[in-house]
Amino acid sequence: MPNLIVIGAAKCATTSLHAYLDAHPEVSMARPRSAVRGTNDDAPKEMRFFWRADWRENLAWYAAHFDPGSPVRGEATPAYAACPFHWGVPERIAEVAPDARLVYLVRDPIDRLMAHWVQARVDGLRSDLEEILQSRAWMDHQIVCPSRYATQVERYLAHFPAEQMLVVDQQDLKHDRERTLAEVFRFVGVDPAHRSAAFDRERNTRGEKLALTPAGRVAYRRVLDPAGRRLAPTPWSRTAPRVRRALSRPVPTPTLSDDVRSRLEDLFRPEVERLRALTGRAFSRWSL
């Protein structure tokens, strides 16, 4: 079983941290079996295991993803810190891997929310951000609840001692990477002085976020993708990403009205204050 789990938050550089950890010789990070390692550095990393209804029945499948010869065996699934959108995750992790070290990446909660919406648009979401934020259950929406950091931390601290969790500011990983990685490596129990060329690259960045245009969506989903899967599935799997990119355009950064921003600030400010108290960290680069 893993002894390291990156639990979130989404859009806080978890893909980059997964790669940095995996570049350490004492750490082995898992990928789901559907992702072929060694062929695509950006292949899906998320195991998405502990919210599955059949998680208990598939423990052997999950365990098979971890290298028993590696001192540190980890996985990274950002939505493990997305309660109440995903319930019961801390309890299940505590049952299976009670001694696991937990790394939780965070960033300015409003910035994170907007980046999450951009990713959701890339993945096919049709709703505008303001439409989501004006819905009845907006505080528990899947792109809002991951920014409620203190709520997520408190859920884990009910099942894990505080010394097993490290909260890391994404801005520190971005702007002070060497020191921040040394802190993470020290926390998980490996050589903090290790350096790698892999640490110079950022992954899954904002500039990579493209979404199908309306015409491209029709062409790709109704014609090209079905035909490619049916007629030449193996060549199409290699060609499809390039075709999809050609039919896509950058997703513009959303803008928030003063009213909506004020509502978000009212929701997140108490969360940030509790997070500072829980961690002793200032998060000085944040807007709240």
Side-chain angles (χ1 to χ4, degrees), residues 167-182:
V167 177
V168 178
D169 188 349
Q170 176 252 10
Q171 289 290 301
D172 291 340
L173 186 64
K174 182 178 180 66
H175 298 292
D176 193 3
R177 188 166 303 151
E178 184 172 313
R179 182 197 62 79
T180 303
L181 285 177

Side-chain angles (χ1 to χ4, degrees), residues 153-166:
V153 168
E154 289 162 351
R155 290 278 298 143
Y156 276 90
L157 292 182
H159 302 278
F160 290 89
E163 57 267 24
Q164 283 181 227
M165 177 181 288
L166 177 67

